Amino acid sequence: MKDKREFIIEADYSNKRVDKFLSKKNDDLSRSYLQELIDDDKVLVNGKAVKKSYKLSAGDKLELLVPEPEELEVKAENIPLDIIYEDDDIVVVNKQPDLVVHPAPGNEEGTLVNALLYHCDNLSGINGVIRPGIVHRLDKDTSGAMVVAKNDEAHLNLTEQFKERDTKKIYLTLVEGKVKYKKGKIDAAIGRDSKDRKKMAVTSKNSKKAVSGFKVLKRYQKHSLVEVNLETGRTHQIRLHMEYMGHPVVGDELYGYNQKTLDVKRQMLHSHLLGFYHPRTGEWVEFEAPLLEDMRQVLDTLE
């Protein structure tokens, strides 16, 4: 049976986009999942399916049809995992590079989710069949600390923390060139690149606020090791902000230099520390993920 949710639009929400209204009124559903429901004609305004850009009017009757969770069909795979911490509610892993977080059409195997399904008896089902337990993501070639929810209560709690920026996210990255300033803050909004839909860009058009604090830990002859504190969590934020500052991440094929300056097989970006309030106890917890061997070896060669 579908979960049917109905809303009568008040004057305060007149002229608001339907996807943004639904995101505000349905904290238990991710924004991306709500947009999928809109695309699948599961959102009706006055009895008719609408697009996510539809502007609401006062008095509109909005219906949201949420399908019953499907049984998980993603195959469990015995892929090695570096587990930092685990209890009945969460798993914290040190994700290895070259590992996609969740399956996608045409790429249903060999992901972190496949590995977790082998390791865990249960994961939260809020994000549907192919993204169980996934609260936040790291790029395929970014390594480091990630938390995964093992039940729906933990998932909702953690999702809200990431949404409200109640988490702590510290990254380590090796960048091109000597960063001039010892520390600072980059405040540059990020949106979709108008010329290449696969890329994001620092732009004022259709963008969202993005803030990264940084501190230079060590300067080498032609590179710098930088600690980045994410105050927001936009797609490709660190990679974009470093490139915007003139110091792209070493090995970044999307936003970095065309000519590789070091022999690396992936972008030198690592989620070093992740902090949040434990979804069951409410206690503040922090988890550190040690640098992986490939990144340590690159740093050793620069000494």
Side-chain angles (χ1 to χ4, degrees):
M1 179 183 293
K2 290 187 176 72
D3 173 11
K4 185 176 180 180
R5 308 181 186 186
E6 296 183 350
F7 308 88
I8 301 298
I9 305 304
E10 299 174 355
D12 289 347
Y13 294 102
S14 182
N15 208 38
K16 191 175 186 70
R17 280 174 55 124
V18 65
D19 57 344
K20 293 184 177 180
F21 173 84
L22 288 171
S23 181
K24 184 176 181 65
K25 294 294 185 178
N26 297 273
D27 289 340
D28 59 326
L29 302 175
S30 70
R31 186 176 304 171
S32 59
Y33 181 55
L34 284 166
Q35 290 178 337
E36 288 176 15
L37 294 180
I38 295 171
D39 291 339
D40 291 341
D41 294 339
K42 297 294 192 299
V43 174
L44 308 178
V45 176
N46 301 325
K48 295 182 179 180
V50 295
K51 295 181 179 180
K52 55 192 174 188
S53 59
Y54 179 86
K55 299 288 185 68
L56 295 167
S57 299
D60 279 347
K61 180 181 179 182
L62 190 156
E63 298 171 85
L64 171 63
L65 307 175
V66 183
E68 283 291 300
E70 300 178 46
E71 291 297 317
L72 293 180
E73 297 174 358
V74 178
K75 182 172 68 175
E77 295 181 68
N78 187 9
I79 300 170
L81 286 176
D82 181 2
I83 295 176
I84 300 171
Y85 174 82
E86 181 177 8
D87 60 25
D88 291 339
D89 300 291
I90 60 173
V91 182
V92 181
V93 300
N94 186 358
K95 186 186 89 66
Q96 59 264 46
D98 197 32
L99 185 67
V100 176
V101 169
H102 61 74
N107 184 32
E108 291 85 9
E109 300 179 358
T111 74
L112 177 63
V113 164
N114 296 103
L116 287 165
L117 288 174
Y118 183 91
H119 174 78
C120 303
D121 291 332
N122 59 309
L123 292 172
S124 76
I126 285 177
N127 265 342
V129 176
I130 62 174
R131 288 182 289 175
I134 300 304
V135 176
H136 67 126
R137 291 184 291 178
L138 295 178
D139 294 334
K140 176 184 176 182
D141 285 328
T142 297
S143 57
M146 267 192 69
V147 61
V148 177
K150 296 177 73 173
N151 54 64
D152 290 355
E153 292 77 12
H155 195 127
L156 292 173
N157 183 289
L158 289 168
T159 298
E160 185 66 16
Q161 290 190 55
F162 276 92
K163 179 181 176 182
E164 296 300 323
R165 304 175 191 170
D166 291 332
T167 58
K168 184 177 181 180
K169 296 174 286 185
I170 305 281
Y171 287 72
L172 297 178
T173 183
L174 183 68
V175 302
E176 304 282 1
K178 288 186 176 181
V179 179
K180 179 180 179 181
Y181 303 100
K182 180 65 178 176
K183 61 181 179 179
K185 183 175 289 189
I186 305 168
D187 187 342
I190 290 174
R192 186 69 60 182
D193 191 314
S194 60
K195 297 179 181 178
D196 186 346
R197 300 300 295 173
K198 293 181 180 180
K199 297 175 67 174
M200 306 299 287
V202 171
T203 177
S204 59
K205 186 176 180 180
N206 296 323
S207 58
K208 295 181 179 179
K209 186 176 180 65
V211 181
S212 304
F214 71 88
K215 178 170 66 174
V216 176
L217 300 181
K218 190 166 186 176
R219 293 186 180 94
Y220 302 95
Q221 187 174 355
K222 296 181 179 179
H223 303 87
S224 302
L225 180 63
V226 181
E227 178 185 281
V228 181
N229 180 3
L230 279 186
E231 296 186 20
T232 56
R234 307 305 177 202
T235 301
H236 300 169
Q237 180 172 322
I238 294 176
R239 298 161 63 188
L240 270 169
H241 275 177
M242 291 297 101
E243 189 272 338
Y244 180 69
M245 195 167 63
H247 299 281
V249 173
V250 170
D252 188 343
E253 295 185 353
L254 195 59
Y255 303 105
Y257 295 152
N258 291 328
Q259 181 67 40
K260 287 187 177 180
T261 59
L262 292 172
D263 184 18
V264 298
K265 294 181 172 61
R266 56 109 172 184
Q267 61 215 21
M268 295 288 96
L269 181 58
H270 180 78
S271 172
H272 174 62
L273 184 146
L274 181 62
F276 52 87
Y277 294 99
H278 192 282
R280 183 177 297 273
T281 68
E283 177 187 2
W284 179 258
V285 291
E286 292 185 358
F287 301 96
E288 285 192 15
L291 280 178
L292 299 188
E293 183 64 23
D294 66 335
M295 196 164 171
R296 286 204 306 269
Q297 288 181 354
V298 170
L299 294 176
D300 287 344
T301 64
L302 297 175
E303 294 290 348

